[in-house]
Amino acid sequence: MGKVASTRRDYYEVLGVKKGALEKEIRQAYRKLARKYHPDVNPNDKTAEARFKELSEAYEVLSDKDKRGKYDRYGHDWQLADQAEAARAQRFGSGAFHGQTYADLSELEDLFGGGGTSFGGIFGDILGRTGARGRRARGDAIPGQDIEQPLAITLEEAYAGTSRILSMPTSEGAPRRIEVRIPPGVYEGSRVRVASEGGPSPFGGPKGDLYLVVSVAPHAAFQRVEDDLHVKVPVPLHIAALGGEVEIPTLKGTKLALRVPPETQNGRKIRLANQGMPHLSGSGSGDLYAEASVVLPTHLSDEERSLFRRLAELRQGIGVTK
């Protein structure tokens, strides 16, 4: 009997990347699409919400080396790959199927006359008798359902990393408190996995996982673009004209000395390398871009007005009144 076609789209197609895409390409593709379809950008848009969930699911798998490897081999049945391999080895030994490998678990299903759904027919029997009784008898480690929970943090917390104390329900009734670490560099839509804190297994296996879906609050001064930060910096007129130094804030709570070149125009951006957000991969950081916001002096003294008049004469100003 033939396979039932899956209605789920290929994860690489969802993110718009090729199967051999690099980790950086996958991350960039996800961030671009996540910003476009994020529920905050598309309020009350169910289509955008569904698209965002689809993107998050695809990225959660393809951004993880181990999960991506299983997905590339088994497709959407990747979560059951370990159990299928273990069962195959148990039933047929390490040389099962004469060393043949399969691109998708459904190929094994076809080989043994599956009933059109995953692990049906004889293929289901390979994994240890279909039905809950057979799975319990084998001690099958079918995990419980993964669950998601939103988590709001500040940009400072996304920069430095942070932790949260979560209250998790238990079967005994009294909640259990766990500490969860949020790594530096997380961004809007990041999914932080907390192992074995999801739903219970219906067959006595391990619990599923909890995924914290991160949202980062807008910052009053800093704007994040991927792993780069942008901030406007007041620059007095005389420093903009002659050059000099000004201080700029950082998300660490410290200040950096910024060298302003002579004749800096309003809006000019000065790059400070490796002073942006830390990469979520744990290697390196983005850049910080300081945008000059030239500040004109006020409450001029008579001498200052005289100097500006002299400057206007030297610059051949027109319409200057004395």
Side-chain angles (χ1 to χ4, degrees):
M1 184 178 294
K3 293 183 291 186
V4 175
S6 172
T7 59
R8 299 168 70 186
R9 289 205 296 159
D10 179 81
Y11 286 154
Y12 292 99
E13 178 186 344
V14 170
L15 295 178
V17 297
K18 296 181 180 179
K19 189 171 182 179
L22 300 175
E23 179 183 341
K24 180 180 179 181
E25 294 174 318
I26 291 174
R27 182 172 64 251
Q28 290 176 341
Y30 169 73
R31 291 179 182 178
K32 179 180 178 181
L33 292 171
R35 285 195 296 268
K36 179 179 179 181
Y37 291 103
H38 195 279
D40 290 346
V41 181
N42 305 274
N44 302 319
D45 188 335
K46 295 299 183 182
T47 301
E49 181 180 352
R51 184 79 169 92
F52 181 76
K53 289 182 178 179
E54 184 183 42
L55 289 166
S56 298
E57 178 183 332
Y59 181 71
E60 189 267 324
V61 173
L62 297 187
S63 63
D64 184 291
K65 184 178 180 180
D66 180 60
K67 292 179 181 179
R68 181 179 179 182
K70 292 176 182 177
Y71 177 78
D72 287 344
R73 185 176 180 186
Y74 296 108
H76 288 299
D77 288 324
W78 68 269
Q79 290 179 315
L80 300 172
D82 291 343
Q83 294 142 251
E85 292 293 342
R88 184 180 71 176
Q90 181 179 357
R91 291 274 172 159
F92 298 99
S94 59
F97 312 120
H98 307 288
Q100 176 66 42
T101 58
Y102 297 89
D104 193 294
L105 293 183
S106 54
E107 294 183 24
L108 292 176
E109 182 181 345
D110 282 351
L111 180 63
F112 289 92
T117 59
S118 293
F119 304 101
I122 297 177
F123 183 52
D125 190 56
I126 291 174
L127 297 184
R129 304 283 181 254
T130 57
R133 179 181 301 174
R135 282 189 287 268
R136 290 193 189 100
R138 282 178 57 251
D140 198 357
I142 297 179
Q145 184 177 9
D146 294 339
I147 59 177
E148 292 185 351
Q149 178 175 319
L151 178 70
I153 63 174
T154 65
L155 188 59
E156 287 90 347
E157 290 175 320
Y159 178 87
T162 187
S163 61
R164 287 288 192 275
I165 302 296
L166 303 180
S167 180
M168 306 301 297
T170 65
S171 57
E172 294 78 14
R176 182 169 56 87
R177 293 163 65 84
I178 62 170
E179 183 176 9
V180 178
R181 179 68 184 168
I182 310 301
V186 292
Y187 45 85
E188 185 76 23
S190 288
R191 300 172 81 240
V192 179
R193 175 175 174 263
V194 186
S196 302
E197 293 295 347
S201 169
F203 306 112
K207 295 175 65 176
D209 296 332
L210 169 66
Y211 287 90
L212 301 175
V213 183
V214 176
S215 63
V216 183
H219 196 276
F222 290 90
Q223 180 184 6
R224 180 178 185 176
V225 180
E226 294 193 354
D227 284 341
D228 294 333
L229 291 172
H230 296 251
V231 63
K232 290 187 176 181
V233 181
V235 178
L237 179 61
H238 66 281
I239 292 181
L242 303 176
E245 285 189 354
V246 296
E247 289 187 333
I248 63 173
T250 70
L251 285 176
K252 300 176 186 178
T254 59
K255 293 183 181 293
L256 293 175
L258 175 67
R259 181 66 184 174
V260 180
E263 301 181 10
T264 291
Q265 299 296 312
N266 189 56
R268 177 176 178 176
K269 291 184 178 181
I270 303 172
R271 173 175 169 265
L272 289 83
N274 301 316
Q275 294 296 327
M277 295 292 295
H279 297 317
L280 188 55
S281 63
S283 176
S285 300
D287 299 327
L288 172 61
Y289 289 88
E291 180 180 336
S293 180
V294 179
V295 180
L296 299 178
T298 59
H299 309 294
L300 297 175
S301 66
D302 291 341
E303 183 179 2
E304 287 172 329
R305 288 191 179 87
S306 176
L307 291 172
F308 271 107
R309 292 190 186 103
R310 177 57 180 157
L311 176 63
E313 292 171 357
L314 291 172
R315 302 291 294 183
Q316 299 179 349
I318 302 175
V320 177
T321 59
K322 297 184 178 180

